[in-house]
Amino acid sequence: MYNFIKKNNNKEIQSYLLGFCFSIILTIVPFLLVIQKTFPSKLNYILVLVCSIIQIIVHFVYFLHLDFSSEMRWNLVTLLFVIIIIFIVVFGSIWIMYNLNHHVMYTVL
């Protein structure tokens, strides 16, 4: 029984360390890209965005332990629901603010 707990604990620690290393790499790479200015700015924006999306996935997999197994299915459904709600709130607010700004009548004093 002790060996099973020890192996399981060791596997979990390895998962956290691997996720931490990926997170550090995915943080340093965009930082260096921006500081060194090796690529044009539009390509830098795209690379930083790609690194941030990959880092979000790394956090979900290695720290939150989300996967596509049947045990985690409800956690993934809940995560998808939260992402949809955040998307609606953020982009709905931007849309409303844009329309308010567009329809405001400016007067010259």
Side-chain angles (χ1 to χ4, degrees):
M1 182 69 176
Y2 177 73
N3 288 334
F4 174 74
I5 293 172
K6 188 175 180 181
K7 286 180 185 178
N8 194 18
N9 194 15
N10 191 21
K11 187 176 172 184
E12 188 172 332
I13 290 172
Q14 285 178 346
S15 172
Y16 285 131
L17 287 176
L18 189 61
F20 179 72
C21 290
F22 283 146
S23 296
I24 293 295
I25 290 169
L26 288 170
T27 301
I28 292 174
V29 167
F31 182 75
L32 291 176
L33 285 174
V34 171
I35 294 296
Q36 297 295 326
K37 297 180 183 176
T38 54
F39 299 113
S41 64
K42 291 204 183 243
L43 185 60
N44 272 344
Y45 291 143
I46 293 171
L47 290 174
V48 168
L49 182 67
V50 167
C51 284
S52 66
I53 290 171
I54 293 172
Q55 190 167 14
I56 289 170
I57 293 169
V58 164
H59 281 264
F60 283 152
V61 171
Y62 288 102
F63 297 120
L64 297 177
H65 303 292
L66 291 177
D67 54 8
F68 292 108
S69 67
S70 61
E71 300 155 349
M72 294 290 171
R73 184 93 17 133
W74 283 109
N75 290 341
L76 287 174
V77 170
T78 305
L79 178 66
L80 181 63
F81 178 73
V82 167
I83 289 172
I84 290 171
I85 294 298
I86 289 172
F87 180 81
I88 289 171
V89 168
V90 169
F91 288 104
S93 298
I94 292 171
W95 182 36
I96 289 170
M97 296 306 283
Y98 174 76
N99 282 332
L100 285 174
N101 188 33
H102 180 71
H103 293 297
V104 170
M105 296 175 58
Y106 293 104
T107 58
V108 177
L109 295 176

